[in-house]
């Protein structure tokens, strides 16, 4: 059982809002005259996605994909599976993958291969947080909100065993 006392604030809702606006400006600039297809990685990215697209003045399309790689014990199994497929055709589209966090890089690396086969016109990655200290696979990150320390984080969509996704700020989970 995890108690609220184990949560220590890392990134406040105001800092998140500022980062989301900054990322939206970067994305807008790069996708001028384009109609990007944003693909959110469920479940963690749903809140970031909702805030990001409301800041994007672009004729965008939206879809979600759900993959599983983590077990309840917070460790990546190293194997990624598509649990819920996206329906939007990807061929010829300017695809932007939207993630909550890039940790080992295994999930994003898998997804980039998975989407590349479908022949998008372009393929980029936007992540709210990046935990480079745990990287096992090198992956390109085109848009990054925050670099976070080597701690497990929750809130703003990010969970621990499905809990804490509803918190408006991001916290570290202290042992
Ligand atoms: P990766 O495959 O190790 O890069 O992990 C990617 C996925 O693991 C993310 O999309 C998250 O769902 C989950 N994850 C990794 N680190 C954290 C964390 O600190 N808090 C919550 N979820 C995490
Ligand atoms: Mg995720």
């Amino acid at each position: 059982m995890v108690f609220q006392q184990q949560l220590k604030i890392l990134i406040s809702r105001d800092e998140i809002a500022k980062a989301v606006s900054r990322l939206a400006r970067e994305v807008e600039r790069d996708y001028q005259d384009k109609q990007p297809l944003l693909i959110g990685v469920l479940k963690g990215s749903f809140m970031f996605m909702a805030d990001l697209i409301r800041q994007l003045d672009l004729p965008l399309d939206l879809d979600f994909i759900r993959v599983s790689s983590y077990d309840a014990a917070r460790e990546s199994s190293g194997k990624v599976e598509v649990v819920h497929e996206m329906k939007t055709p990807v061929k010829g589209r300017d695809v932007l993958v939207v993630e909550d966090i890039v940790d080992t890089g295994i999930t994003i690396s898998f997804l980039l291969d998975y989407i590349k086969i479908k022949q998008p016109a372009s393929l980029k990655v936007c992540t709210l947080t990046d935990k480079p200290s745990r990287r096992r696979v090198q992956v390109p990150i085109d848009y990054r909100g925050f670099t976070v320390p080597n701690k497990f984080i929750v809130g703003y969509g990010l969970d621990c065993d499905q809990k804490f996704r509803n918190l408006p700020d991001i916290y570290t989970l202290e042992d």
Side-chain angles (χ1 to χ4, degrees), residues 41-45 67 98-101 107 158-159 165:
V41 187
L42 289 175
K43 301 177 193 172
S45 72
V67 295
V98 177
E99 254 291 26
D100 52 356
I101 185 163
T107 304
L158 289 142
D159 74 306
R165 292 194 197 276

Side-chain angles (χ1 to χ4, degrees), residues 41-45 67 69-70 74-76 78 80 99-109 127 129 131 134-136 139 148-155 157-160 165 171:
V41 187
L42 289 175
K43 301 177 193 172
S45 72
V67 295
S69 63
Y70 263 61
R74 305 186 210 169
E75 276 308 311
S76 177
V80 187
E99 254 291 26
D100 52 356
I101 185 163
V102 178
D103 182 24
T104 64
I106 291 170
T107 304
I108 274 294
S109 164
T127 186
T129 65
K131 205 194 281 180
R134 291 201 0 125
R135 201 72 94 245
R136 283 161 60 188
V139 286
V148 295
N150 188 7
K151 292 201 166 173
F152 202 80
I153 62 172
V154 296
L158 289 142
D159 74 306
C160 177
R165 292 194 197 276
Y171 297 83

Side-chain angles (χ1 to χ4, degrees):
M1 181 68 192
V2 178
F3 295 96
Q4 212 77 1
Q5 297 92 284
Q6 289 175 276
L7 300 180
K8 238 178 80 186
I9 187 125
L10 181 70
I11 309 169
S12 73
R13 64 196 76 182
D14 289 351
E15 292 173 296
I16 295 171
K18 280 194 193 112
V20 171
S21 298
R22 168 176 60 80
L23 292 171
R25 298 293 81 77
E26 293 176 22
V27 170
E28 260 175 17
R29 184 197 60 209
D30 295 351
Y31 289 86
Q32 274 308 317
D33 308 316
K34 297 209 164 114
Q35 193 168 323
L37 168 61
L38 274 65
I39 300 177
V41 187
L42 289 175
K43 301 177 193 172
S45 72
F46 79 97
M47 207 176 278
F48 175 39
M49 179 69 102
D51 284 344
L52 182 69
I53 60 170
R54 277 180 286 182
Q55 301 254 353
L56 287 176
D57 188 14
L58 290 171
L60 58 86
D61 292 314
L62 176 70
D63 209 338
F64 288 97
I65 191 167
R66 185 161 175 208
V67 295
S68 77
S69 63
Y70 263 61
D71 55 28
R74 305 186 210 169
E75 276 308 311
S76 177
S77 63
K79 269 189 277 168
V80 187
E81 278 186 334
V82 175
V83 179
H84 176 90
E85 180 55 281
M86 59 204 174
K87 295 286 190 314
T88 314
V90 159
K91 192 168 181 175
R93 299 299 307 269
D94 292 298
V95 173
L96 181 60
V97 179
V98 177
E99 254 291 26
D100 52 356
I101 185 163
V102 178
D103 182 24
T104 64
I106 291 170
T107 304
I108 274 294
S109 164
F110 167 86
L111 277 173
L112 290 178
D113 290 345
Y114 185 81
I115 295 168
K116 233 175 253 166
I117 292 170
K118 301 175 190 286
Q119 299 179 286
S122 68
L123 182 55
K124 287 187 174 187
V125 175
C126 175
T127 186
L128 179 66
T129 65
D130 179 17
K131 205 194 281 180
S133 49
R134 291 201 0 125
R135 201 72 94 245
R136 283 161 60 188
V137 187
Q138 288 315 310
V139 286
I141 296 178
D142 303 281
Y143 309 96
R144 174 189 293 101
F146 302 94
T147 299
V148 295
N150 188 7
K151 292 201 166 173
F152 202 80
I153 62 172
V154 296
Y156 196 73
L158 289 142
D159 74 306
C160 177
D161 208 4
Q162 302 304 323
K163 300 292 181 297
F164 308 117
R165 292 194 197 276
N166 54 318
L167 301 176
D169 311 281
I170 293 177
Y171 297 83
T172 57
L173 198 53
E174 306 291 322
D175 293 320

